[in-house]
Amino acid sequence: MPRDQIKFQISGEPTTPYYSVYRQRGEISAPLLGAVKVSGLSLRETESMMEKRYRDGASFLNPQVILSFESYAPRTISVLGKSTTQFKSSFSIERDQMGIVSAITRAGGFTRVARTDAVRS
């Protein structure tokens, strides 16, 4: 997710770990590679792709890239408008998303004048 921080290491390299933030455009920044498009890839797929790019660019002979999540960006949701209360909440990374029905329920439901057919996410 955007703003998650990723820890980057190359096995056997004496340098300290490098940290990169996953950007809105689906990219991370990597040493010697610059911006790398990783949108839609798992960590393991990203590691393999980066290892290949390092080998192809002759930066390393047999690189072993190790990626891990260092910290996660906060996940928040807000409910505004004709709900019983205005609601803003964070939710854990284990929940990929919070559904609209759940968010409205947590805000106390609709007021009696709410246009329930005009709800947007």
Side-chain angles (χ1 to χ4, degrees):
M1 297 286 293
R3 299 187 336 257
D4 287 347
Q5 187 176 40
I6 297 173
K7 181 179 175 182
F8 176 94
Q9 293 177 286
I10 297 178
S11 180
E13 285 300 305
T15 58
T16 58
Y18 176 80
Y19 297 91
S20 180
V21 174
Y22 183 83
R23 298 185 199 122
Q24 189 73 31
R25 297 183 307 266
E27 300 174 338
I28 60 172
S29 179
L32 304 174
L33 297 178
V36 178
K37 185 82 166 167
V38 297
S39 179
L41 300 176
S42 70
L43 280 179
R44 302 306 156 237
E45 291 169 333
T46 301
E47 289 170 344
S48 295
M49 182 262 300
M50 292 175 81
E51 289 169 358
K52 181 179 182 332
R53 289 187 59 188
Y54 277 125
R55 276 192 304 276
D56 292 348
S59 299
F60 296 96
L61 293 175
N62 191 21
Q64 182 180 2
V65 174
I66 303 165
L67 299 176
S68 59
F69 284 101
E70 183 67 17
S71 63
Y72 297 96
R75 309 309 197 242
T76 59
I77 189 166
S78 299
V79 177
L80 307 170
K82 299 297 180 180
S83 57
T84 303
T85 60
Q86 303 301 301
F87 172 76
K88 182 174 184 175
S89 177
S90 296
F91 54 97
S92 69
I93 61 165
E94 288 80 21
R95 291 190 69 173
D96 187 31
Q97 60 185 347
M98 181 183 294
I100 196 163
V101 172
S102 179
I104 292 169
T105 301
R106 287 185 179 204
F110 295 112
T111 64
R112 62 180 182 78
V113 296
R115 290 185 41 216
T116 59
D117 61 338
V119 174
R120 294 188 318 234
S121 60

